[in-house]
Amino acid sequence: TTHLVGSALSDPYLSFAAGMTGLAGPLHGLANQEVLLWINNVREVLGEQPTKEALTDFVWDTLKNGKVVPGYGHAVLRLTDPRYTCQREFALKHLPDDPMFKLVSLLYEVVPAVLKETGKVKNPWPNVDAHSGVLLQHYGVSEANFYTVLFGVSRCLGVLSQGVWDRALGLPIERPKSLTMSVLEELCGGKE
């Protein structure tokens, strides 16, 4: 989003603000907050230390109610997110007895198998959001509204330096592709 808005030669601050605003939805920048809400719901229903069987049933109930298990799956990756693995290794070393980390670890044992069993999921593995909120909370960053800011600001130098290159190279404005209604109807096979 930052790159797209910047291609109109918008002020870099406004371009980055647009990118940050684009992260404000639960499918991206708020994803780790959604994970925390779901994990806290698990704790309310099953207690601090649920059994593997109870957690498996809870995951199935989540799916049967038409919901997703937040923190699992990724649009591009088809394996465990390496950022998740890095955070997991850090947590194993520095906070192995944290109750929330223990629950995240148990979810790692349970969720992929359940998602595979559905036969509908291409990527049943955890992404970075399955872990990051728990680490932030452990280290005292309990105001979840700041998580998106941390996520976005860490990308600031990359996206803004791309904007500098775009301008130096004189690249044209980017325009998102749009489809007419007739094209969409054709894609759907003309079904009504």
Side-chain angles (χ1 to χ4, degrees):
T1 304
T2 301
H3 192 260
L4 179 68
V5 173
S7 77
L9 302 181
S10 300
D11 179 274
Y13 174 82
L14 297 175
S15 300
F16 190 66
M20 290 295 295
T21 303
L23 292 175
L27 297 180
H28 205 275
L30 297 182
N32 60 5
Q33 291 149 293
E34 294 292 320
V35 170
L36 284 173
L37 290 172
W38 189 79
I39 288 175
N40 284 327
N41 187 36
V42 170
R43 291 171 71 194
E44 285 174 25
V45 174
L46 302 179
E48 283 287 320
Q49 297 177 337
T51 65
K52 200 171 183 178
E53 294 74 24
L55 192 55
T56 300
D57 290 342
F58 190 90
V59 170
W60 275 112
D61 288 344
T62 297
L63 297 171
K64 287 176 184 173
N65 285 318
K67 298 177 184 170
V68 299
V69 178
Y72 282 78
H74 191 277
V76 178
L77 297 174
R78 294 294 175 255
L79 54 128
T80 300
D81 187 332
R83 299 168 298 174
Y84 173 92
T85 303
C86 181
Q87 289 181 2
R88 178 172 171 72
E89 289 170 2
F90 178 88
L92 283 166
K93 182 177 180 181
H94 298 287
L95 52 138
D97 298 323
D98 182 89
M100 290 286 275
F101 170 64
K102 285 182 176 183
L103 184 52
V104 166
S105 291
L106 188 57
L107 286 165
Y108 185 50
E109 294 176 31
V110 167
V111 174
V114 171
L115 293 177
K116 281 182 190 176
E117 195 175 327
T118 68
K120 299 177 184 177
V121 179
K122 291 180 182 175
N123 175 20
W125 304 108
N127 60 51
V128 68
D129 299 309
H131 215 302
S132 58
V134 168
L135 284 177
L136 290 167
Q137 293 226 327
H138 178 82
Y139 286 103
V141 184
S142 58
E143 184 56 52
N145 288 332
F146 290 124
Y147 294 178
T148 300
V149 175
L150 292 171
F151 179 81
V153 168
S154 67
R155 287 155 172 74
C156 177
L157 290 175
V159 295
L160 292 177
S161 63
Q162 288 175 355
V164 170
W165 274 107
D166 288 356
R167 290 178 186 191
L169 296 171
L171 296 181
I173 188 171
E174 292 182 19
R175 299 184 193 282
K177 186 176 182 179
S178 62
L179 300 173
T180 63
M181 199 60 187
S182 61
V183 169
L184 290 173
E185 289 170 351
E186 186 178 312
L187 287 172
C188 295
K191 297 177 183 174
E192 292 182 21

